[in-house]
Amino acid sequence: MLRIYGVYKSRATRTFWLAGELGLAFEHVPVIQAYKLADPMAPGARINTRSPEYLAVNPMGAIPAIDDDGLKLHESMAINLYLARKAGGPLAPKDLAEDALMTQWSFFAVAEIEANALKISMSNAQGRLSTEAGQAEAEVAARLLKRPLAVLESHFADNDYAVGGRFTVADINLAEVVRYGQPYQPLMDAHPHIAAWLKRCHDRPAFKAMWQTRLDEQE
Amino acid sequence: MLRIYGVYKSRATRTFWLAGELGLAFEHVPVIQAYKLADPMAPGARINTRSPEYLAVNPMGAIPAIDDDGLKLHESMAINLYLARKAGGPLAPKDLAEDALMTQWSFFAVAEIEANALKISMSNAQGRLSTEAGQAEAEVAARLLKRPLAVLESHFADNDYAVGGRFTVADINLAEVVRYGQPYQPLMDAHPHIAAWLKRCHDRPAFKAMWQTRLDEQE
């Protein structure tokens, strides 16, 4: 049995989206980030990223993590690559070369894009992005994203999807990171091919269903 | 034919070490970091990370990258996972679960360890680590590494290697990142199981051969 740990307002969206695309049955364990609770260590506090029972699943105390018939995995990108490979089909790599490229784009997302894109996402979530200071911060983040986004823009000028001419797990892994930068409109305006690809990804029924569950999630 | 782009004083060490372990024949293209050259764009400048012919291989302009019979790959961790999977044998995953764990530890290295460990490595390379300011910086980096290194320390208290009870590509990918923190002795003293595992990795003939080539490298 597949168990997915994490809430929908977290990096776990990546895995929920993929599970939806693959039509996987899973048990959802809504582990919440400890920082969102007043006293995560209190007796009776809901299960969170500092709960001993969760640290036994992922000692880093980060979400998401999975337990797939006893195989415990953390690191969202690795989880998604594993679930796609195991399921097979169009979202999975069809050979070693595709696997290499899907792995490459997933590392690219984490190493070259995520930290700066997250600054925009957090600024937006905290209501700071609309302020002058928030716009200035976002502009700095956008400048640091210039090179990796130029690489992606050029890739999506020639390709509808990341790998193999079709929607795959690599698009989910990339799109879930690029989405963090989406609230800063100048970034999207400067990269129309990225914006069009992100829209193609977000138009998928499995993304929309995941997003609706996220919007409905009680904290 | 396999071509590896990059110099030995760079992240390319990961790939050179793996190629040595696997006994792969390859052509070495010594692309150097542009920042090490006075004028990387000058006509006749040696091939570097801003040279148009290299940007055609890796548009991010980072090293290493490979070209394996026409498959161009960047992101060192993805390159290593690909080369190991292709070669098979003890360094490669033997099934989907091992592949998932090797991929997990590689993302863990990049996402949780690399940035802070690199601060120590750079401080050391620039001769700052022995100063009071350098020690204070290293102490901050070490504090930020506390959680991921506790995870690794606990793993290596129970396991000689990262995955499958044997030396694999996951050890190379992890060790090459943990090595960046090695010059700060208190970090190693606080994590004796990590230090012992790192020594096991560094005692391997293929690591020693790679390191000697690095020491001999002319810039």
Side-chain angles (χ1 to χ4, degrees):
Chain A
M1 210 252 314
L2 173 64
R3 203 173 279 133
I4 303 178
Y5 299 85
V7 287
Y8 278 75
K9 290 195 181 77
S10 80
R11 281 185 177 85
T13 48
R14 299 167 192 180
T15 301
F16 290 125
W17 179 9
L18 177 70
E21 294 278 359
L22 295 173
L24 298 180
F26 61 90
E27 181 193 337
H28 175 208
V29 184
V31 177
I32 196 169
Q33 296 95 332
Y35 70 80
K36 289 187 180 167
L37 300 179
D39 185 1
M41 313 298 254
R46 63 175 282 196
I47 181 168
N48 65 75
T49 51
R50 292 295 169 269
S51 302
E53 66 262 49
Y54 185 61
L55 292 173
V57 177
N58 177 9
M60 269 306 287
I63 45 175
I66 64 168
D67 183 325
D68 186 34
D69 282 328
L71 175 67
K72 291 184 176 73
L73 272 185
H74 49 101
E75 295 297 330
S76 56
M77 296 290 182
I79 290 170
N80 276 11
L81 288 165
Y82 162 71
L83 290 175
R85 286 178 194 130
K86 187 181 171 195
L91 269 72
K94 69 168 168 32
D95 56 25
L96 276 181
E98 281 201 357
D99 198 333
L101 290 166
M102 292 181 191
T103 308
Q104 169 198 281
W105 286 118
S106 302
F107 275 103
F108 179 86
V110 169
E112 321 288 358
I113 299 180
E114 190 156 25
N116 288 304
L118 255 183
K119 287 179 200 159
I120 294 170
S121 173
M122 289 169 70
S123 165
N124 186 49
Q126 294 160 359
R128 210 168 58 246
L129 187 59
S130 53
T131 68
E132 209 175 312
Q135 288 285 304
E137 284 168 17
E139 201 192 314
V140 172
R143 217 176 303 145
L144 293 167
L145 287 167
K146 215 172 161 183
R147 181 177 290 270
L149 291 191
V151 170
L152 275 191
E153 178 69 8
S154 152
H155 183 81
F156 289 124
D158 298 331
N159 301 277
D160 279 352
Y161 293 104
V163 178
R166 64 188 192 280
F167 180 82
T168 70
V169 61
D171 294 290
I172 295 182
N173 283 356
L174 262 176
E176 281 293 90
V177 169
V178 173
R179 171 168 66 78
Y180 294 143
Q182 204 181 13
Y184 185 56
Q185 192 56 43
L187 203 65
M188 293 296 112
D189 293 344
H191 301 97
H193 291 105
I194 293 178
W197 157 79
L198 198 55
K199 185 175 184 316
R200 277 193 294 282
C201 293
H202 289 178
D203 280 347
R204 297 181 66 88
F207 178 85
K208 286 182 199 279
M210 177 279 284
W211 199 254
Q212 190 57 51
T213 309
R214 176 180 155 115
L215 290 173
D216 295 341
E217 186 174 67
Q218 305 294 319
E219 285 196 0
Chain B
M1 212 255 313
L2 173 63
R3 202 173 280 133
I4 303 178
Y5 299 84
V7 288
Y8 278 74
K9 290 196 182 74
S10 80
R11 281 185 176 87
T13 48
R14 299 167 191 181
T15 301
F16 290 125
W17 179 9
L18 177 70
E21 295 278 358
L22 296 172
L24 298 180
F26 62 88
E27 182 192 336
H28 175 208
V29 184
V31 176
I32 195 168
Q33 296 94 334
Y35 71 80
K36 290 187 179 167
L37 300 179
D39 184 1
M41 311 299 254
R46 64 174 282 195
I47 181 168
N48 65 76
T49 51
R50 293 296 170 267
S51 302
E53 65 262 50
Y54 184 62
L55 292 173
V57 176
N58 177 7
M60 269 304 288
I63 46 178
I66 63 167
D67 184 326
D68 186 32
D69 283 329
L71 175 66
K72 290 185 177 74
L73 273 185
H74 49 101
E75 294 297 329
S76 57
M77 297 289 182
I79 290 170
N80 276 13
L81 289 165
Y82 162 72
L83 290 175
R85 287 178 195 131
K86 187 180 170 194
L91 269 73
K94 69 169 167 33
D95 55 24
L96 275 181
E98 281 200 359
D99 198 334
L101 290 166
M102 292 182 192
T103 307
Q104 170 198 279
W105 287 117
S106 302
F107 275 104
F108 179 86
V110 168
E112 320 288 359
I113 300 180
E114 190 155 24
N116 288 304
L118 255 183
K119 286 178 200 160
I120 294 170
S121 173
M122 287 168 72
S123 165
N124 186 49
Q126 294 160 0
R128 211 169 57 244
L129 186 60
S130 53
T131 68
E132 209 174 310
Q135 288 284 306
E137 284 167 17
E139 203 192 314
V140 172
R143 217 175 304 144
L144 294 167
L145 287 167
K146 215 172 161 184
R147 181 176 288 272
L149 290 191
V151 170
L152 276 190
E153 178 68 8
S154 154
H155 183 81
F156 290 124
D158 298 331
N159 301 277
D160 281 351
Y161 293 105
V163 178
R166 65 187 193 280
F167 180 82
T168 70
V169 62
D171 295 290
I172 295 182
N173 283 357
L174 262 176
E176 282 292 272
V177 168
V178 173
R179 172 168 65 78
Y180 294 143
Q182 204 181 12
Y184 185 56
Q185 192 56 44
L187 203 65
M188 293 296 111
D189 293 345
H191 302 96
H193 292 105
I194 293 178
W197 158 77
L198 198 55
K199 186 176 182 320
R200 277 194 293 283
C201 293
H202 289 177
D203 280 347
R204 297 181 65 87
F207 179 86
K208 286 182 198 280
M210 176 279 282
W211 199 254
Q212 191 56 52
T213 309
R214 177 181 154 114
L215 291 173
D216 295 342
E217 187 175 67
Q218 305 294 317
E219 286 196 359

